[in-house]
Amino acid sequence: MKEEFYKLFNIPEHPLTITDEQEREEIKNEIYQRLRQSIDRQQSPKRKPIARIWRLRYQAAAILIGVCTLFIGYSYYRSTQNTPKYITVKAGKGEVLEISLPDQSKVTLNSATSIRYPAKFTSTRDIYLEEGEAYFDVTHDKSKPFIVHSGGISTRVLGTAFNIKAYKSLPNITVTVTRGRVQVAEKNTLNILKPDEQLTFNKDAHKAFTKKVKSANNMAWTHGDFNLDGVYFNEIMLAIANRFGVKVIYDPKVFINCENSIRFTKKQSLTDVLQVLKTIQPVHYTLKKDAVLITGKPCD
């Protein structure tokens, strides 16, 4: 048996003279490699069906991956086809812009205003007033409610005309109706407004109150004029900044209690408006390129 072993691996019958450790390791590796080859030769007929099974499994997996890829691609295609495309329109500072919606409703955008709406209306007509002030003259369509989303509240109408002011820098959102009726809601209905009614919603307190107004005065801006009645100083400053495209610098804490009314037309210059402001409130102003510095005393 021992002789057959030596003969099989071409090893001398008496390898007892091997003293070098490296040589011993090389012989050991040689024996291991030849044993491995001998075993493989003996098992090779049995491995063929196993290899064939694995080949089939790989092919099935490839087909499955292909089908899954096609399914995912098709699902993605369907989802993109069903996702509505939106249009965003922005009016720059010093600009009043009028646009037509897909249902032929008219929207007038005040300065520094941005709205977003679907290119095609489906079961509802959802409009997003993302920033600013807009006047909506809505085409009547009872089957497709017209809903304006603005700063956490929604205004729902069936065919009417109304104004929404929702600048992010102002604490309140106001909704004013000139024709028809609108329903204003946060989580629940806040009120249903009729012509010449205005709802003011405080964004921090989540409270609203309604009052009677002359809606025509609130719409003056759509013709380039301004008619701000009983508003706080920060709202007047925002109107001036947006109208003339300037940066207005002032201390809000100084003027926090100042409430006034101011009117100016599209023909008046920035200097004209600032002079009007001085007549209704003791302020001083300094003009520097595209900035205005306002100083003055607090209001009681």
Side-chain angles (χ1 to χ4, degrees), residues 58-257:
Y58 289 145
Q59 291 171 357
I63 293 170
L64 182 60
I65 291 170
V67 171
C68 290
T69 302
L70 287 173
F71 177 76
I72 293 169
Y74 178 72
S75 299
Y76 175 77
Y77 170 78
R78 287 294 300 273
S79 66
T80 56
Q81 292 297 105
N82 294 331
T83 301
K85 295 179 180 178
Y86 280 87
I87 297 171
T88 299
V89 180
K90 297 180 180 180
K93 288 189 175 183
E95 181 182 23
V96 174
L97 185 64
E98 183 178 295
I99 63 171
S100 293
L101 299 180
D103 65 341
Q104 301 307 307
S105 294
K106 305 295 182 184
V107 184
T108 306
L109 308 182
N110 202 349
S111 301
T113 295
S114 173
I115 69 166
R116 182 169 58 92
Y117 59 91
K120 182 180 180 181
F121 292 133
T122 53
S123 57
T124 60
R125 296 173 284 173
D126 289 285
I127 313 297
Y128 298 87
L129 178 58
E130 297 179 331
E131 167 73 3
E133 183 174 18
Y135 179 70
F136 299 86
D137 193 347
V138 182
T139 300
H140 182 80
D141 186 349
K142 191 173 182 179
S143 66
K144 295 180 180 179
F146 190 99
I147 306 169
V148 180
H149 306 270
S150 55
I153 67 171
S154 62
T155 304
R156 184 185 182 102
V157 303
L158 293 174
T160 185
F162 61 99
N163 189 81
I164 300 179
K165 180 184 286 188
Y167 285 102
K168 292 178 181 178
S169 61
L170 297 180
N172 298 324
I173 300 172
T174 58
V175 180
T176 309
V177 177
T178 59
R179 188 183 72 246
R181 294 193 309 164
V182 305
Q183 180 188 52
V184 185
E186 190 185 17
K187 292 181 179 178
N188 300 310
T189 300
L190 297 171
N191 208 344
I192 296 176
L193 305 179
K194 300 185 292 294
D196 289 332
E197 288 186 341
Q198 181 182 83
L199 180 141
T200 300
F201 174 78
N202 185 274
K203 292 182 283 187
D204 292 329
H206 297 275
K207 291 183 178 180
F209 68 90
T210 303
K211 64 179 181 180
K212 294 288 290 184
V213 296
K214 291 183 178 180
S215 58
N217 292 340
N218 291 86
M219 304 305 111
W221 66 264
T222 62
H223 308 294
D225 300 331
F226 273 85
N227 193 338
L228 302 175
D229 288 323
V231 298
Y232 284 100
F233 193 79
N234 60 340
E235 192 163 340
I236 296 174
M237 294 298 98
L238 180 64
I240 292 172
N242 289 340
R243 169 65 183 274
F244 297 101
V246 296
K247 183 178 181 180
V248 180
I249 303 168
Y250 67 100
D251 187 348
K253 295 180 181 178
V254 172
F255 303 103
I256 193 169
N257 294 320

